[in-house]
Amino acid sequence: MKALRQRQYGCLDSLELSEVKKPIPAKHQVLIKVHAVSINDWDWALLHGSPFIPNRLMVGLFKPSIIVGSDIAGRIEAVGSHVSRFKPGDEVYGDLSGCGFGGFAEFVCAPEDALIRKPPSMSFEQAAAIPQAGMLALQGIRAKHSLPPDQKVLINGAGGGVGSIAVQLLKPQGVEVTGVDSAEKLALMRCWGFDQVIDYRAVNFTRNGQRYDLIIDVKTEQSPKDYERALSPGGVYATVGGQLTKLLRIALSGLRIQRERDKKLRVIGLQANGDLAYFNELFESGHFKPVLDKLYDFTESDVRQAFQRFGVAAHNGKIVVRLSHL
């Protein structure tokens, strides 16, 4: 089968499609024919071997030895002897980050508990766009236990997968949602439902005098003190992405701020696949639809372009690579 391999860290030109052995499912696993896979921050980090610890300890000190790709959608080809939830032919999707990745390949094996059935009306491309971004968006929102109507929420780095999902979950609650990203994305973000949009190059949202009841941050580029200043009394800052050193600063400062003030700074740890059934319900009821950026095919040139677009944060919503043409 074909799979995406990388000859060296940090060089997208070294991405290539290679022939590798088709996997065989263990007794609690299923074999999935992959129809679509999306790109996440974790894939980008693994391809660059950064941070050195823990990523290079996991995938190889000097040369990557892993097939990246966590959020997949496809059709089950075979099941292990102890599998009870699925049968060949079932259409499924899920996040494989906790069970070895491997999504950028024609076939991948995964434990049955890492997957959920895909609704018939949901495309494989839409399904592959949900798992990590959807769970992080939902966990970020739930970081503040109560969001009464008229409260203010800000999402930093809102033009990607997390922001495009979070705004759809927030607007039915009657809250005011502000999105921060590059100027090129703001018009489309208004179409997604954002009440206010901010160009991060022109305005620093932590210094414009506004206060928010909940901040969900995909980037985590400023100091804990800056984020604290932008919170209303009783407000919560929840980071769902960023460099490891900055996440550690948020975690340590959050302990101090929570003790001293009526504000909270939290680092959200991904709970993979926990509420995918909820997203299925929202999708089937017409209250949620994944936002897809440009679709790419499973060719070396297309995959390199897809990762390049992701790396410069030019995407709107989720970047998805489709394998259904193979």
Side-chain angles (χ1 to χ4, degrees):
M1 71 170 188
K2 291 182 180 179
L4 182 70
R5 305 306 297 262
Q6 188 181 22
R7 295 190 305 273
Q8 63 188 74
Y9 286 116
C11 179
L12 296 185
D13 287 340
S14 72
L15 289 173
E16 59 186 16
L17 296 185
S18 305
E19 287 292 330
V20 302
K21 188 176 180 180
K22 184 177 177 180
I24 298 173
K27 59 184 180 181
H28 289 290
Q29 290 184 326
V30 299
L31 175 67
I32 307 157
K33 180 175 175 58
V34 180
H35 284 252
V37 55
S38 67
I39 299 178
N40 290 289
D41 283 339
W42 211 335
D43 301 310
W44 181 258
L46 290 175
L47 288 176
H48 286 75
S50 176
F52 194 95
I53 298 174
N55 283 350
R56 292 210 184 189
L57 294 180
M58 181 169 61
V59 303
L61 287 177
F62 305 108
K63 183 178 180 181
S65 60
I66 194 173
I67 298 171
V68 299
S70 57
D71 288 7
I72 62 100
R75 184 175 284 108
I76 291 180
E77 290 276 312
V79 300
S81 59
H82 287 48
V83 170
S84 59
R85 294 178 56 210
F86 301 111
K87 64 183 184 304
D90 287 345
E91 296 179 348
V92 297
Y93 72 101
D95 174 4
L96 309 185
S97 62
C99 50
F101 296 87
F104 276 91
E106 292 184 79
F107 294 91
V108 65
C109 286
E112 61 177 329
D113 58 6
L115 303 165
I116 190 171
R117 282 184 176 82
K118 176 184 75 64
S121 58
M122 181 187 290
S123 71
F124 288 111
E125 291 80 9
Q126 289 173 322
I130 296 172
Q132 278 193 30
M135 286 304 307
L136 289 173
L138 187 59
Q139 289 178 241
I141 293 169
R142 290 176 175 172
K144 186 169 175 57
H145 298 301
S146 176
L147 271 176
D150 300 326
Q151 288 209 340
K152 294 184 177 182
V153 179
L154 179 139
I155 304 173
N156 185 37
V162 171
S164 65
I165 293 175
V167 69
Q168 296 183 63
L169 304 181
L170 286 164
K171 288 307 298 176
Q173 301 184 41
V175 299
E176 179 183 304
V177 188
T178 297
V180 181
D181 214 302
S182 61
E184 296 83 0
K185 299 186 180 185
L186 301 187
L188 190 54
M189 286 164 54
R190 289 190 182 96
C191 295
W192 296 347
F194 284 96
D195 299 291
Q196 308 290 334
V197 292
I198 296 174
D199 174 6
Y200 78 91
R201 297 188 185 98
V203 177
N204 184 337
F205 75 87
T206 71
R207 297 180 179 275
N208 66 353
Q210 296 296 314
R211 300 292 180 267
Y212 301 93
D213 301 287
L214 173 64
I215 297 173
I216 301 173
D217 197 354
V218 180
K219 299 296 185 181
T220 316
E221 294 173 331
Q222 301 190 54
S223 72
K225 187 175 294 186
D226 289 332
Y227 295 128
E228 180 192 356
R229 182 174 53 245
L231 287 174
S232 301
V236 175
Y237 168 87
T239 171
V240 300
Q243 294 180 3
L244 181 60
T245 54
K246 294 181 178 179
L247 297 179
L248 290 174
R249 286 185 65 194
I250 294 295
L252 294 173
S253 295
L255 296 174
R256 173 186 58 80
I257 290 170
Q258 186 171 341
R259 286 195 305 266
E260 298 176 359
R261 300 174 180 82
D262 185 23
K263 299 178 181 181
K264 295 181 180 179
L265 270 61
R266 296 187 56 190
V267 176
I268 301 300
L270 175 66
Q271 298 173 6
N273 302 314
D275 287 279
L276 295 185
Y278 174 65
F279 284 101
N280 281 354
E281 293 173 7
L282 289 178
F283 183 89
E284 291 185 295
S285 65
H287 293 104
F288 163 68
K289 184 178 181 180
V291 176
L292 303 183
D293 192 68
K294 179 182 176 182
L295 296 175
Y296 292 85
D297 290 326
F298 195 52
T299 65
E300 287 182 2
S301 60
D302 259 28
V303 171
R304 291 172 185 172
Q305 289 178 37
F307 274 98
Q308 175 65 26
R309 183 169 174 82
F310 183 88
V312 298
H315 53 294
N316 299 288
K318 288 290 292 184
I319 293 178
V320 176
V321 176
R322 53 192 174 189
L323 293 82
S324 54
H325 69 292
L326 296 175

